[in-house]
Amino acid sequence: SAVISQKPSRDICQRGTSLTIQCQVDSQVTMMFWYRQQPGQSLTLIATANQGSEATYESGFVIDKFPISRPNLTFSTLTVSNMSPEDSSIYLCSVGGITDTEAFFGQGTRLTVV
Amino acid sequence: QKEVEQNSGPLSVPEGAIASLNCTYSDRGSQSFFWYRQYSGKSPELIMSIYSNGDKEDGRFTAQLNKASQYVSLLIRDSQPSDSATYLCAVNEDNYQLIWGAGTKLIIKP
């Protein structure tokens, strides 16, 4: 597996502001993903973070709202822009392709927008 | 639309009994199957992976795969209160993306 460090672990933000979440992996990985998980719900994929190119977004998620960077094979950021209370959720960084197709997760960021 | 279906539960099992968790998937071409455990407030952790038909055992956990029936299950023997969590079934799509079930909440009663 890999050690995945995600920060911040939690934050309370004012509506209209932006928050950037960082994900650092202790080894180079092929795939990095960003998920959102609402309380009591399963995982919803936001986007695949592509190294050196624009992220690939899933239906319902757009770059202006969730800009993603991946400058190298060990690091990625997700920004939640112009936040509203509906953005309150847990955001998870995930990596894949380490040993096979399984996914490993960071500790998650619990975001509350007030 | 590729889907993974799980009963949301909660599934309540007495301590020491066998807990049986089930998952069905829609894409007959799927090749890799995973069970994750998620404690409340924590991120999912991988507990089992299975790739071929049959059973795979790891300690108290057994994963079962039946590709003909498009069915994956997880058995937990000698259930402990510490097994109380939500169990997520995931199936590989492509490019290392996983399709996730909604999860089954398991409660082990002392």
Side-chain angles (χ1 to χ4, degrees):
Chain A
S1 64
V3 176
I4 305 165
S5 300
Q6 186 176 338
K7 59 181 182 182
S9 59
R10 60 177 63 229
D11 208 341
I12 301 174
C13 300
Q14 297 290 322
R15 68 176 67 202
T17 63
S18 298
L19 176 71
T20 295
I21 303 167
Q22 299 182 0
C23 181
Q24 178 75 55
V25 190
D26 69 343
S27 60
Q28 294 186 343
V29 294
T30 306
M31 309 298 294
M32 293 184 78
F33 305 97
W34 288 98
Y35 286 90
R36 183 171 72 183
Q37 188 175 33
Q38 307 278 23
Q41 306 277 322
S42 190
L43 303 171
T44 300
L45 181 64
I46 297 172
T48 302
N50 299 310
Q51 192 264 327
S53 65
E54 190 172 289
T56 304
Y57 289 86
E58 298 300 304
S59 176
F61 298 95
V62 295
I63 188 171
D64 290 347
K65 176 67 175 177
F66 298 101
I68 288 170
S69 77
R70 190 175 175 194
N72 55 53
L73 292 176
T74 64
F75 185 78
S76 179
T77 67
L78 167 73
T79 299
V80 186
S81 302
N82 188 24
M83 289 184 286
S84 66
E86 291 71 36
D87 295 319
S88 297
S89 189
I90 297 172
Y91 293 85
L92 291 157
C93 169
S94 170
V95 303
I98 295 177
T99 55
D100 202 302
T101 54
E102 70 273 77
F104 298 97
F105 290 87
Q107 305 94 319
T109 297
R110 182 179 294 271
L111 171 63
T112 303
V113 183
V114 297
Chain B
Q1 178 89 10
K2 298 173 183 176
E3 294 183 337
V4 175
E5 301 281 347
Q6 292 182 260
N7 188 318
S8 62
L11 175 65
S12 185
V13 173
E15 183 176 357
I18 296 175
S20 178
L21 304 163
N22 304 314
C23 170
T24 59
Y25 59 95
S26 63
D27 182 9
R28 190 170 288 277
S30 298
Q31 296 295 321
S32 307
F33 308 87
F34 307 97
W35 283 100
Y36 286 78
R37 178 177 62 201
Q38 186 174 27
Y39 293 114
S40 180
K42 301 294 186 182
S43 58
E45 65 176 312
L46 179 67
I47 55 172
M48 290 288 286
S49 59
I50 188 166
Y51 305 96
S52 55
N53 280 328
D55 295 0
K56 179 182 178 182
E57 187 174 317
D58 184 0
R60 295 186 296 112
F61 297 96
T62 299
Q64 299 175 318
L65 174 61
N66 184 326
K67 289 187 178 180
S69 300
Q70 296 175 240
Y71 178 94
V72 192
S73 64
L74 179 70
L75 302 178
I76 306 175
R77 290 183 299 281
D78 188 23
S79 297
Q80 303 296 311
S82 59
D83 295 325
S84 298
T86 296
Y87 289 80
L88 300 167
C89 174
V91 176
N92 174 246
E93 188 185 43
D94 55 21
N95 288 332
Y96 303 96
Q97 282 193 24
L98 300 180
I99 307 298
W100 295 87
T104 298
K105 184 173 183 178
L106 176 64
I107 299 172
I108 306 300
K109 298 185 299 183

